[in-house]
Amino acid sequence: MKRALISDIHGNLEALNAVLDDIRQQGISEIYCLGDVIGYGPNPVECLDLVRRKCAMCLLGNHDQAALFDPEGFNPVAFRAILWTRDQIDNSSGGAAAVNERWDFLGELPRTHVEPNRLYVHGSPRDPTNEYVFPEDVYNQRKMENLFERVEQFSFQGHTHIPGVFTPSLEFFGPDECDHEYRFGDEKALFNVGSVGQPRDGDPRSCYVILTDESIVFRRVEYDPDVTAKKIYDTPQLDNMLGDRLRDGR
């Protein structure tokens, strides 16, 4: 088995196209998306259409959920972006049937996907859509023990935009600390696959992972964030900081 796991595209078409091209170059045909296809970025409709065509499985992210319902707990920047995103989908190309298909796709996204020994979520094993698991949570023993209790062996997630590996011994390893590959053993582990469209680990390159039966490999992909940022700057409803952060990976 060889599969690509992507997450947190956030309407960044340039980043998504670059990642999909890299996935093709790796000879991978099966792609899972762990949610947040939309939100923040300037091309929500195009990213939705690509994910619908290219991904064998896609989960519901918190921004996908916010587009469908009320964006509870969103800061003002994210709130304005999701309202604009809704409008983009409502007025997207292809007529009423195509618009309804896009909304139906979002509305039918599952919150979890389960395979033998593997759990796929957007947020965490405890709250699949909304709970963050940050690297500093290794200092919260009760939280981490609770999360690991809910995992048969491996969990794959996104949401924080920070790639890496959590172990039951309360350690977190970023991709650089494990030479960009973590080989599976008998020990449980939680894996954050990073973000395609809005990395937040100080590296502006897109991040995704390649999953095999033996290991998980973290890959970084170059794209031009200035192209995406300019689209954001040219859209009054999207705050300029959403473009600024792309250059710094924050």
Side-chain angles (χ1 to χ4, degrees):
M1 183 272 290
K2 195 175 184 182
R3 174 185 298 154
L5 305 183
I6 64 176
S7 190
D8 297 278
I9 299 161
H10 285 294
N12 187 333
L13 183 61
E14 289 71 32
L16 178 57
N17 278 327
V19 165
L20 291 176
D21 186 57
D22 192 75
I23 291 171
R24 284 192 296 271
Q25 292 177 33
Q26 303 305 310
I28 300 172
S29 58
E30 185 175 56
I31 306 171
Y32 281 9
C33 177
L34 305 188
D36 274 2
V37 180
I38 58 177
Y40 293 136
N43 291 105
V45 175
E46 294 86 348
C47 290
L48 267 179
D49 289 348
L50 269 176
V51 167
R52 288 169 60 203
R53 292 201 308 269
K54 300 291 186 180
C55 293
M57 190 280 296
C58 183
L59 298 176
L60 182 76
N62 62 307
H63 284 256
D64 308 319
Q65 177 178 260
L68 290 162
F69 307 107
D70 292 328
E72 295 181 6
F74 274 35
N75 63 53
V77 171
F79 185 86
R80 288 192 296 270
I82 211 67
L83 295 183
W84 177 83
T85 296
R86 284 180 182 173
D87 185 66
Q88 293 301 295
I89 298 172
D90 278 338
N91 295 284
S92 55
S93 62
V99 171
N100 288 336
E101 285 178 5
R102 292 176 181 117
W103 282 120
D104 288 345
F105 172 76
L106 285 171
E108 294 168 3
L109 292 178
R111 296 176 185 273
T112 63
H113 179 74
V114 181
E115 297 174 350
N117 298 324
R118 293 176 179 179
L119 171 67
Y120 301 86
V121 296
H122 177 68
S124 84
R126 183 166 58 181
D127 181 345
T129 305
N130 292 298
E131 184 177 29
Y132 291 96
V133 187
F134 288 108
E136 56 266 29
D137 283 329
V138 295
Y139 301 109
N140 186 341
Q141 182 175 352
R142 180 174 294 182
K143 175 178 179 177
M144 295 307 297
E145 287 179 348
N146 188 285
L147 295 178
F148 275 106
E149 286 172 0
R150 297 165 187 263
V151 176
E152 186 174 353
Q153 188 169 18
F154 302 133
S155 174
F156 304 92
Q157 55 213 50
H159 198 30
T160 66
H161 304 202
I162 302 172
V165 184
F166 296 88
T167 71
S169 53
L170 301 182
E171 293 179 295
F172 175 82
F173 299 101
D176 291 341
E177 296 172 294
C178 60
D179 200 23
H180 301 275
E181 181 176 14
Y182 186 92
R183 298 196 66 80
F184 301 141
D186 295 330
E187 187 178 60
K188 291 183 179 183
L190 311 180
F191 301 94
N192 193 299
V193 306
S195 172
V196 169
Q198 196 185 98
R200 293 180 185 168
D201 61 342
D203 186 338
R205 295 176 297 170
S206 294
C207 185
Y208 78 98
V209 304
I210 296 173
L211 176 64
T212 69
D213 292 328
E214 295 81 28
S215 72
I216 186 170
V217 176
F218 294 89
R219 288 191 62 81
R220 304 305 292 237
V221 181
E222 297 273 3
Y223 81 99
D224 188 352
D226 290 334
V227 175
T228 311
K230 185 178 186 308
K231 292 180 183 179
I232 292 172
Y233 300 151
D234 291 342
T235 305
Q237 297 89 341
L238 298 179
D239 195 283
N240 283 352
M241 67 85 66
L242 296 173
D244 297 341
R245 73 193 310 178
L246 296 179
R247 296 189 178 96
D248 300 326
R250 58 178 173 83

